[in-house]
Amino acid sequence: MQPPNDSSLRATGTPIIEARGLVKRYGDVTALDGLDLTVPQGSVLALLGPNGAGKTTAVSILTTLMEPDAGSATIAGADVIKEPGDARKRIGLSGQYAAVDEHLTGFENLDLIGRLYRLGAKRAKGRARDMLERFSLTDAADRPVNTYSGGMRRRLDLAGALIAEPPVLFLDEPTTGLDPRSRT
């Protein structure tokens, strides 16, 4: 369940994200009306707009959490509609709200995420420790997450999105709940 390596994507010149004519409707409301994107490998793209503009809907489609009513999209060459499992192997996702298990410790959360990505026990544990250090959570690693502050939970969620070293990372409202130092 390993994502394709970055060199194979660069060699083909394949955009890391491509969307054509994405449409999503909720009854009479059109949340997305023909979204087109081409994101080259190694790029950073921000979708900016007011509340209700369709940003989260676009992210939900691109991360295979919902299907569009029309259009197509690929993530690192995998079709999000026809090959959702392959697309998921290529992405990390941190949504608007921290998706962590409050009853597990920080380490247990990251180890579990690593195992769900099928990194194997040894690699999952190593990546969990690395991410805890990288996100300044080492001191809290063995405490239940329900004792963490909101900012600590957010950092843990971001660490989980990176644990499998995905070629594509989706961050929906990534700075919500973070203090100025953590945002940097």
Side-chain angles (χ1 to χ4, degrees), residues 11 60 77 81-82 84 139 171 182:
S60 294
I81 299 165
K82 297 176 186 169
D139 292 344
L171 305 173
S182 296

Side-chain angles (χ1 to χ4, degrees), residues 59 92-96 154 158 161-162 169-175:
V59 169
L93 170 64
S94 179
Q96 288 186 31
R154 188 65 174 151
L158 291 168
L162 290 167
L169 181 63
F170 287 95
L171 305 173
D172 193 358
E173 304 280 349
T175 60

Side-chain angles (χ1 to χ4, degrees), residues 4-16 40-42:
N5 66 42
D6 291 343
S7 62
S8 70
L9 295 171
R10 268 194 296 275
T12 64
T14 302
I16 198 76
Q41 171 81 12

Side-chain angles (χ1 to χ4, degrees), residues 60-108:
S60 294
I61 291 169
L62 293 171
T63 58
T64 75
L65 296 174
M66 72 172 54
E67 287 193 15
D69 294 321
S72 62
T74 58
I75 303 297
D79 187 301
V80 300
I81 299 165
K82 297 176 186 169
E83 308 165 295
D86 288 340
R88 282 185 215 111
K89 292 175 191 176
R90 294 161 164 80
I91 64 173
L93 170 64
S94 179
Q96 288 186 31
Y97 307 101
V100 293
D101 187 320
E102 295 193 359
H103 301 290
L104 298 178
T105 67
F107 173 80
E108 290 168 337

Side-chain angles (χ1 to χ4, degrees), residues 124-136:
K125 287 181 188 322
R127 288 291 297 157
R129 293 281 177 217
D130 290 346
M131 291 291 96
L132 289 163
E133 185 175 330
R134 185 181 221 179
F135 283 87
S136 302

Side-chain angles (χ1 to χ4, degrees), residues 97-105 109-110 113 145-146 148 152-158 160:
Y97 307 101
V100 293
D101 187 320
E102 295 193 359
H103 301 290
L104 298 178
T105 67
N109 267 278
L110 295 181
I113 293 168
V145 171
N146 63 10
Y148 284 25
M152 292 169 73
R153 290 174 198 220
R154 188 65 174 151
R155 292 193 330 257
L156 184 66
D157 185 63
L158 291 168

